[in-house]
Amino acid sequence: IDITGVLTSAYKQYRLRISQLRSQNNATTIYIRTSRDGVTYDADGGYSSVLYGQQATATAVVTSFFATGSASGFMISHSVLNNTYLFQSEVMIDNPSENSFQKTMKCDSVTVVGGLSTNEQGAAYYVAANSAYAAIQVIASSGNILSANVVLTGINYSSP
């Protein structure tokens, strides 16, 4: 899923909501990648990122996991997405059109894997360059994204 031509200086922050995402393959990791020219997406190990998650039954947390940096992009799911269940995530992107500041991203993601509710939270920024983002991409580590609902909302705020 490529989102191009909409990241402008009109907004200081963007919220990307992904819901009902289905992947082609099981055990697929979902990534966010950035582009500075709107054509080539950064997949070169330049992301500083962290992702933490927990899986739980109705009565207890049964698994915790932790993942760091990736050459493929900002992980918003960590190899747990199963094509039988739907995945959802909210990704916040700060300062995408700034040329002089780092652009940070954070995510809050939810899915069901093997009957276990899974919540993942992460943060990242692209450290290899400070240039403004022209586009973002949602991509699967293997196979394709079969379907998803995607909404990008621009947010402005005033500072004191």
Side-chain angles (χ1 to χ4, degrees):
I1 301 169
D2 294 349
I3 301 170
T4 61
V6 294
L7 298 177
T8 71
S9 60
Y11 299 102
K12 301 288 185 193
Q13 187 177 62
Y14 284 88
R15 177 178 34 225
L16 176 65
R17 293 187 50 87
I18 304 164
S19 66
Q20 300 181 10
L21 185 144
R22 285 188 54 237
S23 66
Q24 182 179 18
N25 297 338
N26 288 329
T28 299
T29 299
I30 303 297
Y31 296 100
I32 299 290
R33 288 184 181 164
T34 58
S35 172
R36 291 178 305 285
D37 63 9
V39 177
T40 306
Y41 291 91
D42 302 313
D44 57 7
Y47 295 90
S48 172
S49 64
V50 62
L51 185 72
Y52 176 78
Q54 291 186 319
Q55 293 178 314
T57 64
T59 58
V61 172
V62 294
T63 306
S64 294
F65 54 88
F66 179 79
T68 58
S70 166
S72 298
F74 170 33
M75 286 183 279
I76 61 172
S77 82
H78 180 253
S79 295
V80 295
L81 195 58
N82 182 315
N83 66 11
T84 305
Y85 300 100
L86 299 176
F87 169 81
Q88 67 174 331
S89 185
E90 182 173 280
V91 179
M92 299 299 288
I93 305 165
D94 275 334
N95 301 315
S97 61
E98 289 285 344
N99 281 310
S100 57
F101 296 114
Q102 293 293 349
K103 283 126 311 268
T104 59
M105 296 179 280
K106 70 176 184 174
C107 75
D108 190 4
S109 305
V110 178
T111 191
V112 175
V113 178
L116 300 176
S117 172
T118 302
N119 177 265
E120 300 164 306
Q121 295 178 324
Y125 75 99
Y126 185 69
V127 299
N130 257 359
S131 302
Y133 294 162
I136 54 176
Q137 180 182 60
V138 181
I139 189 167
S141 62
S142 65
N144 295 316
I145 294 173
L146 297 177
S147 61
N149 296 320
V150 177
V151 175
L152 184 69
T153 306
I155 300 169
N156 270 333
Y157 49 88
S158 57
S159 299

